Amino acid sequence: MHQESQDGPNLPGLAVPFPLRINPHVDTARHHDMAWAKGTGLVSTPADELRYRSWDLALLVAGWLPDAPPDGVDLAVNAFNWCTVYDDLHAGERATDSRYARRMAEPVLTYLETGHLPRNPTPLLLALDDIVTREMQRSPHESHARIAHNWALFVAAFMEETKNREGGLPLSYHEYRALRMESGAVPLMTDLVEIANGYHVTAGARSVPAFQTLFNSANEAICYINDLYSYPKEEAAGDQHNLVFVFENAHRCTRQEAVGRTVEAILDACDNMLLQQSRLRNGCRRAKLPPEEIAGAHRFSHDLIYPISSMVSWQQKSGRYARPDNAVYKSGLHR
């Protein structure tokens, strides 16, 4: 199951047990997203545009949401790109500057808590407000607090990561996993599975143990796939936040062994997803959920398989981690 790719001995090919399907609106989404990024100010220089285009997050989203309508795909591409821009704004020298991380996070967290923009919002905040507003419009009121909370988790995690880099101490697996589930943006990205596709998973369905375990396993698989392909870039930047490095330190093993353990963690998470899918219907019945809530839970559990296969395919094709550098996104979005 572990095959080495042409990228080198430390970047394995990965076969996950889920199909890859591509949304037919991918090319239109690329065009719409670039227009949106320029219109909001996320992209304002030729260098920004080249870097932004190289990520090709529209391709990731097209596999993530193969059945979503065009406006749902557009929303998800905008959200994924916002997260990537925010990530890049913490690269280079800024990666160890905790005051900078707090200065970046505080206005965003205030907006997410209050729902109100400051008097002179930055392009970063204007773009986020546009995304969150569209998410709320497509979601029932009971989901609004969760949507804002998951965005806040992502933003706040950068302050914690910066402190870790300043301290330079290795993380345990459990410390890393808890933080990575937030800084990886996966909860807010998996929110978009239902939001972009235009259905709703109720709080009752989310409380079913099989659903919770399935959701957590999907998040783990997505995060760890990212780690598997991004670690050369993070190593070049001196960043310890990667499962490969966590395994290497915890088990005192070779790099290749740590990569193998990461592959095993991904495949274990995929296997657990399949197991929990088989248990979900009985779990929903035991919770006495009405048929429409069971249907929503089952659709979501099925749709969660596509982000896994899309993440693998995109990592192998995207320019996001093509070079292990620590270049910083150029726009003055932090001003």
Side-chain angles (χ1 to χ4, degrees), residues 18 210 213-214 217 268-281:
F18 305 125
T213 305
L214 172 65
S217 295
D268 285 347
C270 292
D271 288 345
N272 202 24
M273 287 178 65
L274 292 171
L275 175 63
Q276 300 308 320
Q277 280 182 331
S278 70
R279 294 174 174 175
L280 183 59
R281 185 170 298 278

Side-chain angles (χ1 to χ4, degrees), residues 8-214:
N10 294 323
L11 293 178
L14 181 65
V16 293
F18 305 125
L20 175 68
R21 297 172 52 225
I22 300 297
N23 193 296
H25 306 299
V26 58
D27 290 331
T28 303
R30 285 191 185 101
H31 175 74
H32 288 175
D33 178 64
M34 182 54 66
W36 174 85
K38 290 180 176 179
T40 58
L42 282 187
V43 168
S44 61
T45 71
D48 284 351
E49 181 172 350
L50 284 173
R51 188 162 174 78
Y52 194 97
R53 287 188 186 277
S54 75
W55 304 335
D56 198 12
L57 287 166
L59 180 62
L60 174 61
V61 170
W64 197 283
L65 303 168
D67 299 310
D71 59 341
V73 177
D74 288 347
L75 170 60
V77 177
N78 296 161
F80 281 36
N81 272 308
W82 192 97
C83 293
T84 307
V85 168
Y86 194 82
D87 185 24
D88 269 20
L89 287 170
H90 293 77
E93 294 180 355
R94 300 169 185 163
T96 55
D97 187 341
S98 59
R99 288 181 295 180
Y100 169 83
R102 183 168 296 279
R103 190 166 65 249
M104 283 290 296
E106 284 179 345
V108 181
L109 295 173
T110 298
Y111 159 72
L112 291 168
E113 181 180 354
T114 65
H116 300 297
L117 289 168
R119 180 170 297 180
N120 296 305
T122 63
L124 198 67
L125 272 176
L126 286 171
L128 179 60
D129 178 61
D130 179 68
I131 294 166
V132 172
T133 298
R134 288 150 64 200
E135 284 188 287
M136 301 292 192
Q137 289 171 346
R138 298 174 71 95
S139 307
H141 187 267
E142 75 168 77
S143 299
H144 291 185
R146 189 189 75 247
I147 291 169
H149 175 70
N150 285 341
W151 277 101
L153 287 178
F154 169 69
V155 171
F158 283 84
M159 294 187 286
E160 187 67 25
E161 284 195 349
T162 302
K163 289 180 183 177
N164 292 339
R165 294 187 193 104
E166 287 178 330
L169 296 175
L171 299 175
S172 71
Y173 170 76
H174 294 292
E175 290 171 332
Y176 173 75
R177 180 186 177 278
L179 180 59
R180 191 71 175 92
M181 293 301 108
E182 298 171 2
S183 66
V186 180
L188 70 90
M189 289 178 172
T190 46
D191 275 344
L192 285 159
V193 170
E194 59 176 301
I195 295 170
N197 278 303
Y199 61 91
H200 174 54
V201 181
T202 65
R206 288 177 177 274
S207 70
V208 173
F211 184 97
Q212 293 176 346
T213 305
L214 172 65

